[in-house]
Amino acid sequence: MRHTILAAVLSAALLAGCGGDDDGAAATSSNATIKILDFVYDPDPATVKAGEAISIPNADDAPHTITDAGAGKAFDSGTIRGKATGSLTIDEPGSYRYICEFHPFMKGRITVTQ
Ligand SMILES: [Cu+2]
């Protein structure tokens, strides 16, 4: 019994460690979320599935967007007002860099998988 519990704890710790990011608590990928707080996207880089709805809660007072920085402008969340939650779906798999249209110094990366 003891061994089973220990093994479970260990494998959970190992899995959490694989994420490479700060705390592993944000490793759930079933529900894609990119938070905005203090003019910073989190997580960055993010990984989502093609066609998956990405929830974008904006904790700032300022409005923000998630807008493809590429020439093709493959996606754009539109304006997400302060304290509001936007959403975005990207259909085309690939690796993208995006910016905030209002604050072009805000930059993020997103990988869209099949
Ligand atoms: Cu912004």
Side-chain angles (χ1 to χ4, degrees):
M1 199 53 171
R2 264 201 121 105
H3 287 305
T4 315
I5 292 166
L6 183 60
V9 169
L10 275 176
S11 59
L14 284 172
L15 283 172
C18 282
D21 280 338
D22 0 2
D23 55 19
T28 20
S29 59
S30 58
N31 219 334
T33 300
I34 299 175
K35 288 179 271 186
I36 305 174
L37 174 61
D38 293 335
F39 294 75
V40 173
Y41 298 108
D42 174 41
D44 177 30
T47 301
V48 302
K49 287 186 187 139
E52 178 180 28
I54 306 160
S55 175
I56 312 164
N58 176 11
D60 289 340
D61 291 319
H64 298 298
T65 73
I66 287 186
T67 304
D68 181 16
K73 211 173 178 185
F75 55 86
D76 184 1
S77 69
T79 302
I80 306 163
R81 283 174 299 143
K83 310 296 184 196
T85 297
S87 90
L88 175 66
T89 303
I90 305 172
D91 293 323
E92 203 58 40
S95 244
Y96 301 91
R97 290 167 187 271
Y98 63 83
I99 58 166
C100 171
E101 277 204 314
F102 300 110
H103 316 101
F105 59 87
M106 291 175 64
K107 294 183 167 111
R109 290 180 191 204
I110 190 162
T111 298
V112 181
T113 60
Q114 290 277 1

